[in-house]
Amino acid sequence: MLTPEELRIPDHGDGDQRADIELLHRFAASVEEQSRRMAGFPVNLEFDYRPLAPFLSVHLNNAGSPGQASEYGLDTKPFEQAVTAFFAELAGGEPGEVFGHVAHGGTEANLFAAFVARERYPDGVLYASREAHYSIPKIARLLRVPCVAVDVDEAGTMDLAALGREVGSRNVPAIVVATVGSTGRGAVDDIPGIRRTCSNAGVDEVFIHSDAAFGGPLAEFGQPRRPWSFPDGADSVSVSGHKIIGSPLPSSVVLVREVDADTIRRPGVAVGSDDDTIGGSRDALSPLLLWYALRGLGRTGFAARVRQCLEVTEHAVRRLAEAGRNPARFPGGNVVLFDRPDEQVMRAWHLLEVDGRAHLSVMPHVTTELVDRLCADLT
């Protein structure tokens, strides 16, 4: 572990950073060693972006709207547009009717979706399941929107009967966050069912955000496919870039209808560009990373990557059962909960704890061999 004294920034630098470079090499070796046993968190560590190293020597800035040039000029907006177009098509968005951009991460993406929803329904109440992403209550506080945590069923999915009671008791517009792949159990909320439930409760003014950061690709390419996108009833969609795709930086693609983006757009105020995102000066490296990864995969490669994760998940369920760890899995998901091992194994394998059980998240870097090594440690 590096000490605070080792990392202290001095009053006067001497320009010779050979010792700092050696320190960074030691830290990189430590991180690389730990990453070989990363099994609990929903991030993909299988990537290599070294061909993009030249872009680390210039300041790129996607200031303002992703669809417009700014006065700064050094940006990656064409790459950002290509990435958002890919996800808009994946999510069933009609060309010209969907606005998208690359946000810093899932929290910013959810904030943007809730922002445009609040502008559509200023008197709305935000509903999300008790197992929704931790950012949702925080976003409600930021936007000054009342927030209701809805009960879940045994699988971790939003309880539609409970949602109907909550929505019906207030009789105001509903802003509902549907979780597509919860962090804890990989549960997928029923988007068509949410819309039916609200209508049956007498509320037809409904905005549904599909927080598909983790589970969107799984829902699209799994067998069977699960509802998660615009044709399924979503008004906005977000998918993380650092999960199934993989990236050294957190990122998320967020998509909303163009008509909703218009409500928050301010023309020409962001260094000669419209302001229609949460960020002002925006990350220009993540669009390059995502574009590079997706160009190598294509839609078919992306689908194959998801199928690989699901096959390894099935292997993990079998091996954990053989190890006597009582595994459980949300149908079609890549999260496996099993009996919690001792603290040493939890730390060594970076396992999360969910309801007293250990949490395995099968991402592209999690292979059958890695699962077998984990099971060997368990026994």
Side-chain angles (χ1 to χ4, degrees), residues 63-80:
S65 179
Q68 297 176 329
S70 73
E71 292 168 348
Y72 181 65
L74 298 179
D75 60 53
T76 63
K77 290 183 180 182
F79 295 88
E80 182 176 21

Side-chain angles (χ1 to χ4, degrees), residues 332-354:
N334 63 334
V335 170
V336 183
L337 299 182
F338 59 96
D339 292 346
R340 189 186 189 283
D342 61 40
E343 191 62 32
Q344 181 178 354
V345 174
M346 291 289 288
R347 287 198 307 269
W349 287 92
H350 305 276
L351 298 173
L352 293 170
E353 181 176 330
V354 177

Side-chain angles (χ1 to χ4, degrees), residues 16-260:
D16 185 353
Q17 290 195 272
R18 284 175 293 183
D20 296 338
I21 293 171
E22 174 59 29
L23 181 150
L24 289 171
H25 285 166
R26 286 192 289 115
F27 181 62
S30 171
V31 170
E32 183 178 355
E33 175 62 27
Q34 291 185 60
S35 71
R36 293 172 184 165
R37 295 184 303 277
M38 173 61 71
F41 286 76
V43 295
N44 174 23
L45 302 180
E46 187 177 79
F47 55 80
D48 183 359
Y49 292 108
R50 282 174 291 185
L52 303 184
F55 294 102
L56 296 179
S57 63
V58 62
H59 177 76
L60 298 170
N61 193 324
N62 284 9
S65 179
Q68 297 176 329
S70 73
E71 292 168 348
Y72 181 65
L74 298 179
D75 60 53
T76 63
K77 290 183 180 182
F79 295 88
E80 182 176 21
Q81 293 166 30
V83 169
T84 55
F86 173 85
F87 278 101
E89 181 179 352
L90 190 71
E94 292 293 332
E97 295 183 7
V98 172
F99 168 83
H101 67 279
V102 177
H104 175 66
T107 296
E108 183 185 331
N110 288 338
L111 174 60
F112 181 77
F115 180 29
V116 299
R118 197 276 309 273
E119 294 303 285
R120 188 200 288 188
Y121 298 127
D123 299 325
V125 172
L126 192 154
Y127 301 88
S129 85
R130 293 191 181 279
E131 297 199 7
H133 192 259
Y134 66 84
S135 67
I136 304 304
K138 174 171 59 179
I139 288 167
R141 293 198 301 273
L142 283 168
L143 297 177
R144 302 293 185 187
V145 174
C147 185
V148 176
V150 181
D151 289 336
V152 297
D153 60 20
E154 292 182 356
T157 301
M158 182 185 288
D159 186 322
L160 295 183
L163 174 65
R165 289 191 295 271
E166 297 286 2
V167 170
S169 67
R170 290 170 178 81
N171 197 32
V172 296
I175 301 169
V176 186
V177 176
T179 303
V180 180
S182 62
T183 303
R185 290 191 265 184
V188 177
D189 291 341
D190 180 1
I191 291 176
I194 288 171
R195 196 166 287 281
R196 286 195 307 271
T197 297
C198 292
S199 180
N200 292 338
V203 175
D204 292 317
E205 292 181 307
V206 180
F207 186 107
I208 299 177
H209 171 54
S210 173
D211 180 6
F214 183 22
L218 294 169
E220 179 64 25
F221 297 123
Q223 296 295 329
R225 179 189 180 277
R226 289 181 174 273
W228 72 284
S229 57
F230 289 108
D232 302 312
D235 294 286
S236 61
V237 175
S238 59
V239 179
S240 285
H242 56 288
K243 292 186 166 66
I244 294 292
I245 299 173
S247 169
L249 301 173
S251 62
S252 183
V253 177
V254 58
L255 307 166
V256 301
R257 299 189 190 280
E258 185 68 44
V259 66
D260 288 316

